[in-house]
Amino acid sequence: MWRNSPRGWGLTSITLHWLSAIAVIGLFALGWWMTGLDYYDAWYHRAPWWHKSVGMVLLGLTLARVVWRLVQPTPDLDGSRTERMAAYLGHLLIYLVLFVVLISGYMISTAEGRGIEVFDWFTVPALVSGLPDQATVAGEVHWYAAWALIILAVGHVLASFKHMLVDRNEVMRRMIDPRLSRRSPH
């Protein structure tokens, strides 16, 4: 039940998917909200601390998710060759843009040479800092990439509903029910 099969996603993939989805939505909402805070707001320093901490945890989860995806089978895709190619490219683009968001956020936070404190558990070191206008350039990239990620996520959700409501196949159920990974195809 933990592993993927050609029939469905295992519990590990399902859990990583939904934790990532919650984190992405939460980080986007928090990031948007905190840009409107002024210096005297009680959350002026606390919101970025949460944003950075969750962002670094998401980076770790995403790296684990990519490794897991590389060592596990991918369930067979339903649909035409064009739909399967669109799904593959869409997922690849989501991963790519997610890494752009996470790395640009890291670049903003480490621009002055300080590491990122992650929930006071550990510090992610500043491996890259001091580049010309690092925080400004990374901030622009982060903002637009975050919007692109949300747009891609909406497209991803719409495609999953199309599979459920129009095609009436199990694509969405496979990302909810790990028991499908154990069931035989017929």
Side-chain angles (χ1 to χ4, degrees):
M1 199 147 96
W2 291 95
R3 297 169 145 299
N4 300 345
S5 76
R7 185 75 186 121
W9 299 104
L11 189 57
T12 304
S13 293
I14 292 170
T15 301
L16 289 171
H17 173 271
W18 290 110
L19 286 174
S20 297
I22 291 165
V24 165
I25 293 165
L27 284 168
F28 184 80
L30 178 60
W32 192 357
W33 174 73
M34 73 185 195
T35 59
L37 297 175
D38 67 17
Y39 182 78
Y40 299 104
D41 193 293
W43 280 92
Y44 184 77
H45 293 288
R46 194 173 316 148
W49 180 83
W50 277 96
H51 190 80
K52 293 174 196 179
S53 292
V54 173
M56 289 296 96
V57 170
L58 180 58
L59 178 58
L61 274 176
T62 304
L63 291 169
R65 191 172 172 195
V66 167
V67 169
W68 185 254
R69 181 106 187 228
L70 291 173
V71 301
Q72 286 291 296
T74 300
D76 296 331
L77 293 173
D78 294 332
S80 69
R81 185 173 190 267
T82 303
E83 285 179 313
R84 290 191 311 271
M85 183 57 73
Y88 174 79
L89 292 174
H91 284 99
L92 193 63
L93 193 55
I94 287 172
Y95 278 111
L96 178 67
V97 174
L98 178 56
F99 275 116
V100 169
V101 171
L102 294 168
I103 292 167
S104 62
Y106 170 83
M107 299 285 289
I108 296 165
S109 300
T110 61
E112 295 183 12
R114 287 189 306 272
I116 300 171
E117 278 294 318
V118 179
F119 295 118
D120 295 328
W121 298 336
F122 59 91
T123 302
V124 176
L127 300 174
V128 179
S129 62
L131 298 174
D133 298 318
Q134 180 174 329
T136 302
V137 172
E140 288 289 312
V141 169
H142 191 69
W143 176 255
Y144 290 110
W147 272 104
L149 183 59
I150 290 299
I151 291 166
L152 288 168
V154 168
H156 181 67
V157 169
L158 291 174
S160 69
F161 277 111
K162 181 245 183 210
H163 281 285
M164 184 176 74
L165 301 173
V166 176
D167 300 336
R168 300 208 183 273
N169 61 34
E170 292 186 333
V171 169
M172 188 183 272
R173 268 195 64 218
R174 290 191 307 189
M175 192 44 77
I176 297 169
D177 188 353
R179 293 173 299 179
L180 294 175
S181 69
R182 295 173 39 174
R183 198 177 347 149
S184 67
H186 299 289

